[in-house]
Amino acid sequence: MKAVTEAALFEAFGGMRGMVETVLPGLLFVTIYTVNKDLHVSALAALAVSLLLVVVRLVRRDTVKHAFSGVFGVGFGVVFAMMTGNAKDFYLPGMLYTLGLGLAYVVTSLAGVPLIGLVLGPVFKENLSWRTRNPGRKKAYTKASYAWGFILLGKCAILFPLYWWADTAQLGWVLVALKIPPFLLAVYLTWVFLAKAPPPIDVFAEMEEAERAEKEREARA
């Protein structure tokens, strides 16, 4: 079960390739900006590499959801920075998204519908069965959602003061440094909580079994 949980988590969050696609545009932006302080060149280069990653996935016929999310994130950052003329604003939409996501994890956990359960339920073929039929998994999803929420809010507590006090290059390099480690910590804690939880209830298998039973009753009738 631990191996299955690990594989499902990597699938849900994009795996190693997804992490590279998340880091690369921001890394390219801050590298170019550190060298030449040119907002337009830096922003367009980051957007171009995001689009290239999508094209590569399309050519290879891989799933494109993580690459597309990267394009939208970079695109919002580029538009925002171009509108304000402030290079630091390239990072602001992503920071606001992180803040909102962190709050969503905490609020949904308090409401008894932890966000990580909504995300991973379909991956484990249990949908929302964990809410009413599997209290052990609901507890694990709640713990995992709190972990994601507090980790993301902790990240925001570092980044937002830097947005006001640091220059663009300093903020950019800290953002790059904080891309992967908090994410890996959250995924690891999720794996720990779910590995100790009861196995998921496969609602798809239940529906298939019910359909077979119905066909057998009709055949006998």
Side-chain angles (χ1 to χ4, degrees):
M1 185 61 200
K2 290 184 178 181
V4 173
T5 300
E6 181 179 354
L9 286 176
F10 267 92
E11 176 189 344
F13 296 117
M16 188 61 65
R17 186 174 177 182
M19 287 189 286
V20 171
E21 291 172 344
T22 300
V23 172
L24 192 56
L27 177 60
L28 185 62
F29 177 89
V30 70
T31 300
I32 295 175
Y33 190 84
T34 300
V35 173
N36 62 17
K37 299 295 188 292
D38 190 317
L39 168 60
H40 292 80
V41 173
S42 304
L44 293 177
L47 184 59
V49 76
S50 296
L51 292 170
L52 178 61
L53 292 171
V54 172
V55 171
V56 170
R57 281 191 174 264
L58 289 172
V59 170
R60 294 169 58 92
R61 297 183 179 180
D62 294 333
T63 178
V64 296
K65 61 180 180 179
H66 299 290
F68 266 128
S69 65
V71 168
F72 286 123
V74 173
F76 278 119
V78 169
V79 170
F80 205 67
M82 294 293 191
M83 288 176 59
T84 63
N86 183 354
K88 282 196 289 188
D89 287 341
F90 172 78
Y91 302 111
L92 188 57
M95 291 166 57
L96 292 172
Y97 172 77
T98 300
L99 176 60
L101 187 60
L103 291 173
Y105 276 118
V106 174
V107 170
T108 55
S109 297
L110 290 171
V113 193
L115 181 58
I116 199 70
L118 302 178
V119 172
L120 294 181
V123 175
F124 289 109
K125 299 180 180 180
E126 60 182 333
N127 285 350
L128 297 179
S129 63
W130 51 267
R131 286 198 63 200
T132 55
R133 300 172 57 192
N134 204 337
R137 285 189 73 80
K138 181 179 180 180
K139 184 177 181 181
Y141 281 138
T142 300
K143 290 180 179 179
S145 286
Y146 275 127
W148 278 90
F150 292 138
I151 288 170
L152 293 179
L153 292 177
K155 182 177 175 179
C156 290
I158 297 172
L159 294 178
F160 276 96
L162 288 176
Y163 174 80
W164 297 107
W165 301 332
D167 61 33
T168 301
Q170 292 170 332
L171 175 62
W173 286 113
V174 172
L175 264 163
V176 169
L178 289 179
K179 277 286 186 181
I180 301 300
F183 171 80
L184 290 179
L185 175 60
V187 172
Y188 171 73
L189 290 175
T190 303
W191 176 81
V192 169
F193 295 139
L194 291 181
K196 296 178 180 179
I201 298 171
D202 190 335
V203 295
F204 294 102
E206 289 183 342
M207 288 187 291
E208 290 173 358
E209 180 61 31
E211 184 178 348
R212 281 196 298 270
E214 180 64 26
K215 288 180 178 179
E216 290 175 1
R217 283 195 296 269
E218 291 176 356
R220 287 196 298 268

